[in-house]
Amino acid sequence: MKKKCIAVATLSIGLLINNAVAEKNSASPDDTLTWQTVANNADIVPGDSAGRPFNSYNPPSVNSGGFVVFRGRSRGPEPPASGIFARDMSRKRGSDLYPIATRGMTVPSPNNTGADFNEFPSFARLGLHNQIVATRGNSNPVWQYETPDGESRIGTSGIYIAPDGMNLETAITQLGLVPGFAQFMVPGVATPTRFDQFPGAPSPTDEGYVLTKGNYTLNENRQTGVFFQNLFSGNQAVELIANTATKIPNVPENANGLTFGSTAPPSASKNKVVFVGYDNEESPSYGGIYLADIQPQPPLKTLIGIGNSVPGVTNARFTRFGEGLTFNGHHVAFWGTWGTETRTLRLHCPTEGNRDRREYCRNDDPNTNRDTDERWQEKEIPVNQGIFVHDTQTGNTLLIAHTGEKYNDFLYWNYSGRPPGTGEGDTDAEDSEPPRWRSATFIAVSNNHGGAAYAMAFKARSGEINEETRVYENFIDGVYFKRGPGKFPIATIVDTTMPGDRLDAETPSSTFINSLGLERDGFRGNYLAITASMEDISSDEDESTWAGIYVTDIPEAFGRH
């Protein structure tokens, strides 16, 4: 078998792969799981007048009944077809794929300009048991109004909800300072203020709440916080959970009064919300993972803090947590790191995806090496990393997996942002920040899987960084399963040693899986939903040849032996 190195960019999966496919024929697939295809590259994007097929996907979300929602897009010519799509994959109510929101669709009211959506910059999320879908959407300005200085237009981003899994409504917008829309103002601040942006993916609950991170500007200072709206309350005013004026609960007496410098996008379930907050996002000294009831300015309970002892590791204390918490209302699963030891990883500029962003990385990013034809940055990644689960009722935290003998990394990197001077809403940008490398971890915790106290899936990498090239070579990425309590082993669900038909019978011949995506709402009940792309190892082309969204019903006996 020939060996080759490929670079794959699957939409917002959060990884840049330099993957050698050597020795993949030696894999023997696990046949205990049966996979269904939600959508793949043979499917035409619903509603696309040009009849283009899907080409790339965000990792999907799934509820406990097997209802799947995802963001997907086609190839060009520009603009590609893209949107938020859903399909019921349950055994009793299997349905056709259909669109919830698409590029070119008119933005729901309030919208007096007739503006259309032009992008959906994050993955879509679901309630635990019902079909409430939440997504971000970008557009041209949705509202035109008169000001003392003349005509003004505003509203290019918002949070949108489909309470029935089909019909889209506006939840939160940037119109807080427009007369008649006071319900959208930033709460908890003395000066009337509107939201600037809603980074990350909003989190809906079965009880009708939608939670989001919100950025705003106050006295020319950039602020941030965690906010919610009760979709069924009648007045639908935005309410505050915590912001940059909120005191960090778990600080020593000599730091009393210290407030959050950053908050991460929240995860919510069963009238409760969890989020990560720090005093300083770039170099945190204080902060942690917090739990609160979904109510205005609730007390915050510290679940795990920076400086707390790392369970299962002698003489170690947490130094940082991953932003992507997964929460089922009882258990929180998260990534954490400890110690100061690091390794150098070289990240090469993307070769696929948004053209303006690729060119920015190659030519304008001040951190990129421009002395060679290859453009790259180097990052120091922590050697000591772990995947943990915390029981919010007992307060116990367990170490599930850690770097060392079996796993080398849980961090994945994605180059995202909006290059200066490019169009509003037409990239995967977070607010108007210039592009940069962002890291993420991928974990999903289920609820009530076969009577287990917890069951979880996580993504991990095995392999070594080449000391000269500083990239991973001959590595394996996989999605793994662990149930508990009890000394049950970690089981492999799927990994990049497996042929493409392990997931999808429609894959072209000679294909092997080369990337996998999992998000925090990707495992509910017995249903696990992922995205995957495949590479044809008989081809000389250095790119994926097939991709799709896949779901499996994990048997209750899986992972017990």
Side-chain angles (χ1 to χ4, degrees):
M1 174 183 291
K2 67 179 179 178
K3 298 182 181 181
K4 67 179 181 178
C5 185
I6 65 170
V8 177
T10 299
L11 183 64
S12 293
I13 289 180
L15 55 96
L16 180 71
I17 295 180
N18 290 289
N19 185 7
V21 295
E23 309 303 330
K24 286 190 174 181
N25 277 342
S26 63
S28 69
D30 180 352
D31 344 342
T32 60
L33 298 179
T34 301
W35 293 88
Q36 299 180 76
T37 300
V38 180
N40 65 18
N41 288 15
D43 290 310
I44 301 300
V45 177
D48 180 35
S49 59
R52 290 170 289 186
F54 283 108
N55 175 65
S56 57
Y57 316 81
N58 274 87
S61 297
V62 65
N63 71 9
S64 62
F67 180 78
V68 180
V69 62
F70 67 94
R71 176 193 175 211
R73 67 189 298 172
S74 73
R75 290 189 186 274
E78 295 294 331
S82 67
I84 305 300
F85 305 92
R87 188 174 181 187
D88 188 339
M89 302 300 293
S90 66
R91 287 166 292 189
K92 295 181 180 179
R93 302 186 306 279
S95 71
D96 293 333
L97 183 68
Y98 67 89
I100 295 174
T102 57
R103 181 193 292 261
M105 170 182 161
T106 302
V107 178
S109 176
N111 179 4
N112 70 0
T113 66
D116 296 338
F117 285 117
N118 56 33
E119 193 49 278
F120 304 90
S122 62
F123 76 101
R125 302 186 71 175
L126 270 171
L128 179 61
H129 298 298
N130 64 24
Q131 296 184 1
I132 293 181
V133 178
T135 184
R136 280 174 62 198
N138 287 354
S139 67
N140 291 324
V142 299
W143 202 258
Q144 175 182 314
Y145 66 109
E146 293 295 326
T147 72
D149 298 323
E151 181 182 288
S152 183
R153 291 184 171 223
I154 197 170
T156 57
S157 183
I159 303 297
Y160 299 91
I161 292 287
D164 58 357
M166 297 183 68
N167 299 293
L168 202 66
E169 302 174 2
T170 299
I172 308 174
T173 78
Q174 299 168 322
L175 304 184
L177 293 183
V178 176
F181 296 115
Q183 71 270 28
F184 298 131
M185 284 197 299
V186 177
V189 297
T191 305
T193 304
R194 72 172 182 89
F195 285 102
D196 296 330
Q197 190 52 274
F198 309 96
S203 179
T205 73
D206 293 337
E207 293 75 19
Y209 296 106
V210 59
L211 285 290
T212 184
K213 176 178 176 175
N215 289 348
Y216 56 98
T217 303
L218 191 63
N219 299 324
E220 300 184 356
N221 294 315
R222 189 165 180 172
Q223 310 286 314
T224 189
V226 174
F227 302 89
F228 76 94
Q229 185 194 78
N230 186 337
L231 302 173
F232 308 135
S233 67
N235 64 10
Q236 296 190 339
V238 181
E239 301 284 1
L240 171 67
I241 296 289
N243 63 9
T244 41
T246 303
K247 294 180 180 179
I248 301 176
N250 55 316
V251 295
E253 291 185 4
N254 61 355
N256 188 32
L258 189 67
T259 61
F260 288 112
S262 69
T263 57
S267 288
S269 183
K270 298 181 180 178
N271 296 313
K272 294 185 181 296
V273 58
V274 293
F275 68 94
V276 172
Y278 294 130
D279 61 330
N280 182 300
E281 183 176 13
E282 296 301 320
S283 181
S285 298
Y286 304 105
I289 299 173
Y290 302 94
L291 171 74
D293 292 330
I294 302 177
Q295 63 185 41
Q297 301 187 52
L300 302 182
K301 178 181 179 181
T302 304
L303 299 181
I304 311 100
I306 288 179
N308 285 174
S309 296
V310 178
V313 183
T314 304
N315 297 326
R317 296 187 180 276
F318 284 113
T319 55
R320 184 181 283 273
F321 306 101
E323 291 189 351
L325 304 180
T326 173
F327 182 46
N328 63 15
H330 182 174
H331 291 93
V332 180
F334 64 96
W335 172 91
T337 184
W338 60 95
T340 58
E341 188 179 357
T342 63
R343 293 176 295 167
T344 302
L345 179 66
R346 187 170 292 177
L347 303 170
H348 288 259
C349 287
T351 58
E352 296 184 359
N354 181 274
R355 181 178 60 186
D356 292 328
R357 192 161 52 246
R358 296 198 316 263
E359 290 304 309
Y360 184 87
C361 183
R362 287 183 58 82
N363 301 313
D364 299 317
D365 191 321
N367 298 307
T368 299
N369 185 312
R370 290 184 290 276
D371 295 332
T372 65
D373 185 55
E374 286 189 289
R375 306 298 203 268
W376 45 263
Q377 294 180 24
E378 288 187 343
K379 296 288 184 181
E380 296 301 313
I381 60 173
V383 169
N384 300 308
Q385 307 173 31
I387 303 294
F388 301 84
V389 64
H390 177 87
D391 188 324
T392 63
Q393 295 180 9
T394 66
N396 292 331
T397 304
L398 296 175
L399 174 62
I400 301 300
H402 60 86
T403 50
E405 293 182 1
K406 182 172 183 179
Y407 307 111
N408 295 82
D409 216 339
F410 302 109
L411 276 180
Y412 294 84
W413 294 85
N414 178 49
Y415 190 77
S416 63
R418 186 191 314 132
T422 60
E424 172 75 34
D426 199 30
T427 73
D428 294 330
E430 291 296 353
D431 201 355
S432 57
E433 295 179 358
R436 63 181 175 89
W437 286 103
R438 294 173 169 88
S439 64
T441 54
F442 300 96
I443 317 166
V445 64
S446 181
N447 60 299
N448 193 29
H449 180 272
Y454 65 85
M456 60 189 298
F458 62 92
K459 183 176 172 181
R461 173 167 292 180
S462 303
E464 294 294 339
I465 295 174
N466 183 294
E467 292 186 3
E468 293 184 4
T469 64
R470 292 297 176 186
V471 300
Y472 278 103
E473 293 185 350
N474 299 312
F475 62 82
I476 297 172
D477 279 335
V479 175
Y480 303 95
F481 174 91
K482 177 68 170 69
R483 64 182 292 123
K487 295 184 178 180
F488 297 110
I490 294 174
T492 301
I493 296 174
V494 61
D495 67 28
T496 54
T497 67
M498 297 179 178
D501 61 9
R502 168 71 181 85
L503 296 176
D504 189 340
E506 294 184 81
T507 55
S509 60
S510 305
T511 60
F512 275 85
I513 298 167
N514 64 12
S515 73
L516 295 161
L518 171 73
E519 269 296 355
R520 65 199 78 172
D521 295 343
F523 186 22
R524 259 76 175 276
N526 289 7
Y527 286 100
L528 175 74
I530 64 171
T531 187
S533 63
M534 293 81 164
E535 173 206 8
D536 184 351
I537 61 172
S538 67
S539 169
D540 291 329
E541 297 296 324
D542 291 345
E543 61 180 18
S544 297
T545 57
W546 198 258
I549 300 289
Y550 306 99
V551 65
T552 187
D553 188 344
I554 295 183
E556 294 182 357
F558 189 82
R560 290 182 182 271
H561 305 289

